[in-house]
Amino acid sequence: MAKWLLISDVVQLLHVPEATIYRWIRQGDIPCVVRSGKYYFKQSTLFSWAESKHIHIHKHFLAKQTNKIIVKTSKFQLIEALKKGNVFHNVPSSSKEILFQEVSSRMDLPK
């Protein structure tokens, strides 16, 4: 699921003035979508764009956004599973899917 950002998010993320964001929009330099007069920025596209322009992304803002995303988009209670504890070492995996299968099979979760 795509994560969309508003101008205020982009200002904090890139640590540039709002006027700069609007200038980049006018110049067609920054990728965005306009809906009902508001500008929206696809997070993954913005990260790639910033990297290509050698613009630093502020990690503290990223951490806050990542935590929000995990809580909002979780289809199961990952937080509850993590609270149960257990640390697994040397879990064999050749992909993310296999890693999650292996870890979940080792966890003491309700059926």
Side-chain angles (χ1 to χ4, degrees):
M1 184 169 133
K3 170 72 175 158
W4 293 90
L5 304 171
L6 299 172
I7 286 185
S8 59
D9 299 321
V10 177
V11 165
Q12 290 181 350
L13 184 66
L14 302 180
H15 202 67
V16 296
E18 191 172 303
T20 300
I21 303 297
Y22 282 112
R23 179 171 40 87
W24 288 341
I25 291 170
R26 280 192 313 276
Q27 293 171 343
D29 189 36
I30 191 168
C32 67
V33 175
V34 182
R35 296 278 187 258
S36 302
K38 289 187 177 184
Y39 296 99
Y40 296 93
F41 305 82
K42 188 174 179 183
Q43 187 176 27
S44 59
T45 304
L46 185 68
F47 288 176
S48 297
W49 174 84
E51 186 178 320
S52 74
K53 300 288 185 177
H54 305 286
I55 297 173
H56 177 72
I57 295 175
H58 285 258
K59 302 294 183 193
H60 70 277
F61 180 79
L62 250 181
K64 289 180 195 174
Q65 291 301 314
T66 303
N67 289 339
K68 288 179 186 177
I69 293 166
I70 290 172
V71 171
K72 287 181 181 178
T73 61
S74 178
K75 291 184 180 178
F76 60 96
Q77 295 300 321
L78 179 59
I79 292 171
E80 292 303 316
L82 293 173
K83 285 179 185 176
K84 277 194 158 272
N86 296 333
V87 176
F88 303 101
H89 298 280
N90 300 324
V91 178
S93 65
S94 57
S95 69
K96 288 180 185 178
E97 290 80 16
I98 292 172
L99 175 66
F100 283 115
Q101 287 174 355
E102 287 292 326
V103 170
S104 63
S105 69
R106 297 168 190 220
M107 296 175 78
D108 182 28
L109 296 173
K111 297 295 178 201

